[in-house]
Amino acid sequence: VDAGVGTSVAVAAWRTLAALPDDPAAVADHLRVHGVATAAAVATAREEAAARHSAREDAWAPVAATVAAWLERARQAVAAVPAVKRLKAAEQAVAAVEEELRDERFQPVADQAIALWEQLRLQSNVELRSVALAGTRTRRRVELDVTVDGEEGAALGVVSQGEVNCLALSLFFPRATLPASPFRFVVIDDPVQAMDPARVDGLARVFTDMAEERQVIVFTHDDRLPQALRRLGLAHTLLEVTRRARSVVEVRPATDPVIQYFADARAVARDDSLPDGVASRVVPGFCRSGIEAAAVEVFRRRRIARGEAHADVEAAIAAARGTTALVSLALFDDPDQGGKVLGTINTKWGRTFGDVFQDAKRGTHRGFSGSLDDLVSAAQGLAERIRAL
């Protein structure tokens, strides 16, 4: 076999040497000639084999040392197999206890999340039955068990965007307000987006509850949250943030729409830079809007307190045409009693307020020739009396 060594020449020489001639007289010459050649070929093959062996020794010696070291560790590993099995069993037992402790610590958070969802899901047919932590290490997640009209369903596959926001807040608040948290405030950006009015009411109550232990700061462009806070009589501080030219930010206390209408009316009435006749038309319009806003506030508060759906209440307000119909809603809970509005105002609060009711309606179209300051004061007085209903 030629194992990388030139043995073929030696083998051929040996075979030639072994092929003795038939003539006995020629055998000696044959052996003398071919014996020397065979010896030389074998010596050459031996030298090549020795060189190849030396090269292999040099190449394999480091590997052999590494294999020997690995072999020792392999023997130790095999010997430790029983201990490894016991360690794995212990690790699984520790993991089970850790999961149990994690679930135990998380349970108050889950219970509070479900309770918050119950406050926020007003008029929703989605029920949150459980909140659980699942997975391990980098694959941990929160699993929500929900039903829709009693039927099983994947949470995010069956809820609206507004309900997703409510679920997010239900999960956020319990974690953000843990006793171990070093922060005594929460900041929330535009949480009422995509929520219907019923959930905005629930959100207002949740914020109020949270504010007993944390300062709650909410940024929103939607007036429904301030409106819900006012209607529900919940304590709050409302600030208006305006970005002026050159990104100068102005922060000032904001008032409710009714008061704001009359503040604007008073500002216009006292603005001497306006052209003649402008204030006499604009001021009555602001007064009328303030009276209408007060009437809508009363009607909305009354109907929703009775448990009526927000959508039905808003539809009734939208269907009421004109100031008289809106005030009729506030006075009689019926938009079709407009014929009684003026007489009721005169009887209930005096003819002065009946006159200002008429002046605010007519002045928008015809202008008002009397004292605008007196008109604003009287109209605001009427609005305050309507709001007190």
Side-chain angles (χ1 to χ4, degrees), residues 150-173:
E151 299 294 330
E152 299 286 343
L156 298 182
V158 297
V159 298
S160 67
Q161 184 59 50
E163 288 171 325
V164 168
N165 291 351
C166 289
L167 280 172
L169 288 170
S170 297
L171 297 172
F172 165 74
F173 271 124

Side-chain angles (χ1 to χ4, degrees), residues 117-118 121-129 145-151 153-155 158-160 163 167 199:
W117 171 250
E118 288 301 314
R121 80 179 188 105
L122 296 174
Q123 302 173 13
S124 170
N125 58 352
V126 177
E127 180 183 0
L128 178 61
R129 298 195 304 185
D145 180 15
V146 302
T147 61
V148 182
D149 293 325
E151 299 294 330
V158 297
V159 298
S160 67
E163 288 171 325
L167 280 172
R199 292 189 184 88

Side-chain angles (χ1 to χ4, degrees), residues 275-314:
D276 293 341
V278 172
S280 66
R281 291 178 178 273
V282 173
V283 171
F286 277 129
C287 292
R288 185 186 67 180
S289 295
I291 293 170
E292 290 177 352
V296 168
E297 177 184 304
V298 170
F299 176 73
R300 185 182 283 126
R301 182 179 68 239
R302 181 192 302 137
R303 286 290 186 94
I304 292 175
R306 292 204 306 238
E308 294 190 23
H310 285 70
D312 295 340
V313 175
E314 297 305 317

Side-chain angles (χ1 to χ4, degrees), residues 47-231:
E47 290 174 358
E48 291 182 1
R52 179 60 60 89
H53 178 268
S54 178
R56 290 189 176 182
E57 281 287 325
D58 293 341
W60 281 96
V63 176
T66 301
V67 171
W70 173 85
L71 186 61
E72 180 58 30
R73 291 196 298 269
R75 290 193 182 101
Q76 292 174 0
V78 171
V81 167
V84 171
K85 292 181 178 179
R86 292 194 298 272
L87 287 174
K88 285 186 176 181
E91 184 181 42
Q92 292 174 351
V94 170
V97 173
E98 180 184 26
E99 183 175 351
E100 183 179 346
L101 292 175
R102 182 189 67 180
D103 292 342
E104 184 178 332
R105 291 196 306 268
F106 184 72
Q107 192 58 49
V109 175
D111 292 342
Q112 189 177 0
I114 294 172
L116 288 173
W117 171 250
E118 288 301 314
Q119 288 183 268
L120 294 173
R121 80 179 188 105
L122 296 174
Q123 302 173 13
S124 170
N125 58 352
V126 177
E127 180 183 0
L128 178 61
R129 298 195 304 185
S130 69
V131 181
L133 295 177
T136 58
R137 297 178 183 174
T138 60
R139 295 180 177 271
R140 293 185 178 181
R141 64 190 183 277
V142 175
E143 290 187 346
L144 307 178
D145 180 15
V146 302
T147 61
V148 182
D149 293 325
E151 299 294 330
E152 299 286 343
L156 298 182
V158 297
V159 298
S160 67
Q161 184 59 50
E163 288 171 325
V164 168
N165 291 351
C166 289
L167 280 172
L169 288 170
S170 297
L171 297 172
F172 165 74
F173 271 124
R175 295 297 302 275
T177 58
L178 286 172
S181 172
F183 302 106
R184 310 310 296 173
F185 65 90
V186 291
V187 180
I188 305 169
D189 183 35
D190 207 8
V192 299
Q193 184 182 17
M195 289 187 186
D196 59 41
R199 292 189 184 88
V200 175
D201 280 9
L203 186 62
R205 292 188 177 93
V206 168
F207 284 161
T208 302
D209 292 342
M210 294 297 106
E212 292 182 1
E213 297 183 357
R214 294 289 194 285
Q215 183 182 26
V216 179
I217 303 169
V218 182
F219 292 94
T220 182
H221 297 281
D222 197 319
D223 187 56
R224 290 180 298 166
L225 180 58
Q227 182 186 101
L229 290 167
R230 290 191 298 268
R231 175 166 40 78

